[in-house]
Amino acid sequence: MQNIDDEFYERADQHIQLSNQQITEEIGRGKVSASMLYATSRFNAWVSATGWNTGEELANAKEETIEYFLTEYRKMLEENLDEYIENFEEYMSIPPK
């Protein structure tokens, strides 16, 4: 990942904490994940739009923009899945009561 500042992981953890708080018996992990994914795509569409002066400019950059975000998401997902694979027993163990 490029340009990681000192607060990068802290901000990410805050998003994860909010998502964890939203999980209930009625609203499961899958629904919360879908909401978070939608919010991320919506925010990234806004961030992308702020870099252009017209809708036409944004439209001309659409495919390149999509490819950028898909590539970055894939790298991050692969990195995190690899970490969970490597640390599965530790991360997924249920603490004794």
Side-chain angles (χ1 to χ4, degrees):
M1 288 179 285
Q2 58 187 2
N3 300 325
I4 295 180
D5 59 86
D6 293 342
E7 290 84 28
F8 177 87
Y9 291 108
E10 183 178 329
R11 286 190 306 274
D13 286 344
Q14 289 173 4
H15 290 289
I16 293 167
Q17 288 171 7
L18 176 60
S19 291
N20 285 336
Q21 291 169 4
Q22 294 175 343
I23 297 171
T24 65
E25 285 187 31
E26 296 82 26
I27 308 295
R29 293 180 302 254
K31 287 182 178 180
V32 173
S33 175
S35 295
M36 187 178 196
L37 194 58
Y38 176 81
T40 300
S41 71
R42 183 74 178 178
F43 184 77
N44 286 332
W46 173 77
V47 167
S48 299
T50 64
W52 303 106
N53 295 312
T54 67
E56 183 178 348
E57 289 177 352
L58 178 59
N60 290 337
K62 181 180 175 181
E63 288 307 313
E64 181 182 349
T65 302
I66 290 170
E67 277 308 308
Y68 168 78
F69 283 112
L70 290 177
T71 298
E72 292 302 306
Y73 181 78
R74 177 181 268 291
K75 287 191 289 190
M76 292 177 195
L77 182 59
E78 286 177 352
E79 178 182 309
N80 282 290
L81 282 172
D82 288 344
E83 183 178 341
Y84 267 80
I85 290 166
E86 187 175 316
N87 299 287
F88 188 85
E89 287 75 18
E90 177 187 350
Y91 287 0
M92 302 307 293
S93 66
I94 299 172
K97 291 186 176 186

